[in-house]
Amino acid sequence: MFPRDFAWGAGTAAYQIEGGWQADGKGPSIWDTFSHEKGRVFGDQNGDVACNSYELWEKDLECIQQLGLTHYRLSVSWARLLPDGTTRHVNQKGVQYYSKVIDDLLACNVSPMVTLYHFDLPQALQNEGGWTSPGIAAHFDNYAKFCFQAFGDRVKLWITINEPQVCAKLGHEDGIHAPGLKEKGTAAYLAGHNMLRAHAMAWSSYDSVYRPKQKGAVSLAINSDWFEPLHPGSGEDMKAAERDLAFTMGWFAWPVFVTGDYPEIMRSAVDAQSEKLKYSGPPRLPTFSEDEPAILGTADFFALNYYTSRKVESGGGRGEGLCMKSDRDAEEVLDPSWPVCGVSWLAVVPHGLRKLLKYIKDTFNNPAVYVTENGFSQVGPPQIEDVQRCEFYKDTILEVAIEEDGVDVRGYFAWSLMDNFEWADGFSVRFGLFHVDFSDAKLTRTVYRSGREYAKIISRYKSAPCKGEQLAIRD
């Protein structure tokens, strides 16, 4: 079952909870800019205030203690620490804020897992080209070194970049996340490439300069659904599912854990489509320079964000011209037997997590794994007695607990600690273990039933981890 040192956590991200978008010298981020543009976010909502965690951190800490978490995953705002994105100007108020958060967590016996980048690039760096600019990698490395120096004596688990696939595709191909670019078939690959370069530089800096004293661990959080062929007997559907996995998880996991380069199935698909469409520009999927830190081996554990699964058949994106969809050539469908929670894309498939964990073990040399995000959404009127979400967490944790696959799972982080600003969905979608009343100036936090149940699960395993506890989840 779960060992005594298993990490029981919940996660948040700076832009989604902090508010204080101009407070105490913070610089603007791309999400400040994006959400202030009309029509970008549901109801033209924004994160100017959000959960106001910048002022109400002690309330968040009470929530963390009420759940009995052993770990808390948070992100630091690059623009709050370094308003123009560079170390030329350090915002000491931002340093003090995060230092207090980390100290308070440790005083409560809660270990912080700190994410350096969770979608909120300083706008000053976006003005220079953002993630599509080669120079962004060095900026990120400097920012990472600043954070390692400031907080690394107390932080032992680091995530460099959260969900680079989402950041690249939704922000640079689909245009539905900041910075809102729709440069089809090119910008997302370039952004993803520079994120990998940035990650590798930061990991190498930590490894050579900070690890000997700080003795922490660094990775990047890779999101992926589980994909399987719509028709199991179809060779075409099997290839399409394999491509889908390569274009999602493999895009970032393959270079870091397997070869130091992109999956061959991904590169050959992109190159073939470029040739077919007579694309004459530079290679859309770049190559890594031997003059920079190697990508291979730059993760001390595998951080996985999992939410849902898809059935896949071949044929998606044909006839759409130069774009990622035509490169991938895979059509995703929902199995009608899977219940959908809240948002239309989120089918509840706990067993998909087990299959994905087994795939990670078999494909990436059995790494230590932290499930760094996993959650269940709610829309419409708040339901404090969220029975479906309770069942979801029980079922999912049972899948993580299965021992026969031999996956080295070290921790599980629910998304999220509390309802917050859910990117383009604004406040219309809620993932929290605590409800936040955004109509109340006090932004009152109220525990959902799922929060109480998660606390019970944590308490059982912290106090008596043993084989017989497996069934106790179902009480």
Side-chain angles (χ1 to χ4, degrees), residues 153-173:
D153 57 330
R154 292 155 289 164
V155 176
K156 304 307 172 190
L157 289 170
W158 293 96
I159 300 292
T160 54
I161 297 173
N162 180 74
E163 297 186 344
Q165 187 263 352
V166 168
C167 181
K169 183 176 183 295
L170 271 59
H172 300 78
E173 171 92 1

Side-chain angles (χ1 to χ4, degrees), residues 94-210:
V95 177
Q96 291 163 14
Y97 171 70
Y98 292 119
S99 205
K100 175 174 167 43
V101 167
I102 291 164
D103 287 344
D104 288 352
L105 288 167
L106 293 172
C108 296
N109 294 315
V110 178
S111 299
M113 175 184 274
V114 174
T115 302
L116 294 173
Y117 183 78
H118 200 126
F119 300 173
D120 49 351
L121 190 72
Q123 183 61 44
L125 296 182
Q126 184 60 42
N127 295 344
E128 298 177 7
W131 286 110
T132 62
S133 168
I136 192 70
H139 283 311
F140 182 81
D141 185 32
N142 288 332
Y143 163 58
K145 288 186 287 191
F146 174 82
C147 292
F148 297 149
Q149 184 68 40
F151 312 119
D153 57 330
R154 292 155 289 164
V155 176
K156 304 307 172 190
L157 289 170
W158 293 96
I159 300 292
T160 54
I161 297 173
N162 180 74
E163 297 186 344
Q165 187 263 352
V166 168
C167 181
K169 183 176 183 295
L170 271 59
H172 300 78
E173 171 92 1
D174 301 336
I176 59 174
H177 275 197
L181 303 182
K182 292 184 179 179
E183 298 176 10
K184 299 282 188 181
T186 56
Y189 294 131
L190 189 55
H193 190 73
N194 288 328
M195 281 185 253
L196 277 167
R197 291 176 55 241
H199 161 77
M201 287 183 186
W203 184 93
S204 298
S205 292
Y206 188 85
D207 193 53
S208 61
V209 179
Y210 301 97

Side-chain angles (χ1 to χ4, degrees), residues 210-404:
Y210 301 97
R211 190 193 304 276
K213 267 193 176 178
Q214 296 181 358
K215 300 183 174 14
V218 181
S219 188
L220 74 171
I222 297 174
N223 62 285
S224 187
D225 300 346
W226 172 248
F227 302 103
E228 51 191 45
L230 179 62
H231 304 99
S234 164
E236 288 297 304
D237 287 4
M238 289 178 70
K239 288 178 184 175
E242 188 182 348
R243 273 195 308 278
D244 223 353
L245 199 51
F247 273 81
T248 308
M249 174 182 282
W251 185 0
F252 297 94
W254 215 261
V256 171
F257 289 94
V258 183
T259 63
D261 196 9
Y262 299 110
E264 179 53 37
I265 189 175
M266 181 184 185
R267 189 176 287 284
S268 60
V270 173
D271 290 348
Q273 196 67 4
S274 293
E275 188 175 343
K276 178 182 174 183
L277 295 172
K278 296 182 170 52
Y279 170 77
S280 58
R284 292 190 292 134
L285 200 57
T287 54
F288 294 103
S289 169
E290 293 184 0
D291 297 330
E292 293 186 338
I295 307 295
L296 183 62
T298 57
D300 302 317
F301 55 92
F302 198 111
L304 171 68
N305 293 1
Y306 169 81
Y307 285 93
T308 190
S309 296
R310 290 289 186 271
K311 297 293 181 78
V312 183
E313 60 182 340
S314 64
R318 292 179 186 174
E320 294 197 20
L322 198 74
C323 63
M324 290 188 71
K325 189 173 182 182
S326 62
D327 293 338
R328 200 173 65 234
D329 190 24
E331 191 68 40
E332 298 175 3
V333 296
L334 289 177
D335 186 317
S337 70
W338 297 340
V340 172
C341 74
V343 286
S344 60
W345 60 267
L346 216 172
V348 179
V349 196
H351 68 262
L353 177 56
R354 178 187 176 185
K355 292 179 179 180
L356 198 55
L357 288 170
K358 178 72 161 56
Y359 174 85
I360 289 168
K361 178 202 168 194
D362 294 343
T363 307
F364 304 117
N365 196 29
N366 194 21
V369 181
Y370 288 86
V371 178
T372 39
E373 284 185 30
N374 177 242
F376 182 104
S377 71
Q378 188 186 98
V379 296
Q383 301 169 41
I384 298 299
E385 294 296 312
D386 54 344
V387 176
Q388 285 182 303
R389 188 186 276 146
C390 292
E391 291 301 306
F392 163 81
Y393 276 118
K394 290 174 182 177
D395 291 344
T396 302
I397 290 168
L398 279 175
E399 297 291 344
V400 175
I402 291 171
E403 292 183 300
E404 63 196 62

